[in-house]
Amino acid sequence: MTVAVSPDGLPALVLNADYRPLSYYPLSLWSWQDAIKAVFLDRVNIVAEYEHAVSSPNFSMKLPSVVSLKAYVKPSRYPAFTRFNVFLRDRFQCQYCGTPEDLTFDHVVPRHRGGATTWENVVAACSPCNLRKGGMMPSQAKMWPLQKPYQPTVHDLHNNGRLFPPNHLHESWMDYLYWDVELEP
């Protein structure tokens, strides 16, 4: 149910039963309508609320700003192999020159040379670097990835996702985001 919602839409941050966000990037948010539905279906606990309330003729309640699931959802250990997740693993930067502009992906060992479309052979690359490398091996092109491609864990992607916070973080969410970072003295 993670959706793209506007901060003006009063979304609810969704936490797992252990009070960690289900995901950091994209941040696990539900629309206020989905959050209210989950409350009435007794699937979540309300952890924090907005000042804004919704009402019916015989009922009124403040909108939840943070909810936690009542049943723990075990996160998968390894994420899906998608273009977005490759970009997130590589921190949205070309693995040859470091630019964040005009990203695509590159097979380190070209497909026509037996390279597979796998975590261990695909990296984020900007279009100019991708064109320059073409179908050559890294040694021929004299272009090597900044980091060796690898299959990330969900934890790896969560850590990288924290480097790219959304444009809007409601103050009631702050105690539940980045809660495992070391506190400043």
Side-chain angles (χ1 to χ4, degrees):
M1 262 209 263
T2 299
V3 292
V5 290
S6 143
D8 299 333
L10 303 172
L13 174 65
V14 183
L15 307 174
N16 209 337
D18 65 357
Y19 285 79
R20 293 184 192 190
L22 290 176
S23 72
Y24 285 96
Y25 204 83
L27 190 58
S28 52
L29 300 175
W30 285 351
S31 67
W32 68 266
Q33 295 93 333
D34 287 336
I36 296 272
K37 181 179 176 183
V39 168
F40 279 101
L41 292 174
D42 201 32
R43 294 183 180 156
V44 297
N45 295 310
I46 298 174
V47 178
E49 299 172 322
Y50 290 109
E51 287 301 313
H52 189 79
V54 291
S55 301
S56 71
N58 57 3
F59 179 79
S60 181
M61 79 178 277
K62 287 185 177 181
L63 292 178
S65 65
V66 180
V67 295
S68 68
L69 300 178
K70 288 192 172 186
Y72 181 75
V73 174
K74 185 175 186 214
S76 59
R77 183 155 161 73
Y78 294 104
F81 179 66
T82 65
R83 177 185 299 259
F84 180 84
N85 284 342
V86 168
F87 291 165
L88 184 56
R89 177 200 65 189
D90 294 344
R91 297 180 178 184
F92 296 95
Q93 61 183 181
C94 174
Q95 291 300 291
Y96 298 113
C97 72
T99 184
E101 304 297 322
D102 200 15
L103 289 180
T104 183
F105 66 89
D106 177 59
H107 290 79
V108 177
V109 175
R111 287 187 292 181
H112 76 273
R113 299 267 183 115
T117 305
T118 63
W119 283 111
E120 294 79 13
N121 191 47
V122 172
V123 295
C126 67
S127 289
C129 285
N130 202 351
L131 286 171
R132 195 169 89 227
K133 181 175 171 286
M136 294 185 281
M137 296 292 286
S139 57
Q140 291 173 297
K142 296 191 180 357
M143 295 173 68
W144 293 272
L146 299 172
Q147 77 175 359
K148 183 179 180 192
Y150 66 97
Q151 180 177 10
T153 63
V154 169
H155 182 73
D156 294 332
L157 294 188
H158 279 191
N159 284 340
N160 285 355
R162 291 176 185 168
L163 301 173
F164 305 95
N167 293 336
H168 170 76
L169 295 172
H170 190 266
E171 70 231 16
S172 66
W173 303 350
M174 299 314 285
D175 287 338
Y176 306 99
L177 298 174
Y178 322 116
W179 66 272
D180 54 347
V181 296
E182 201 169 309
L183 297 175
E184 295 179 19

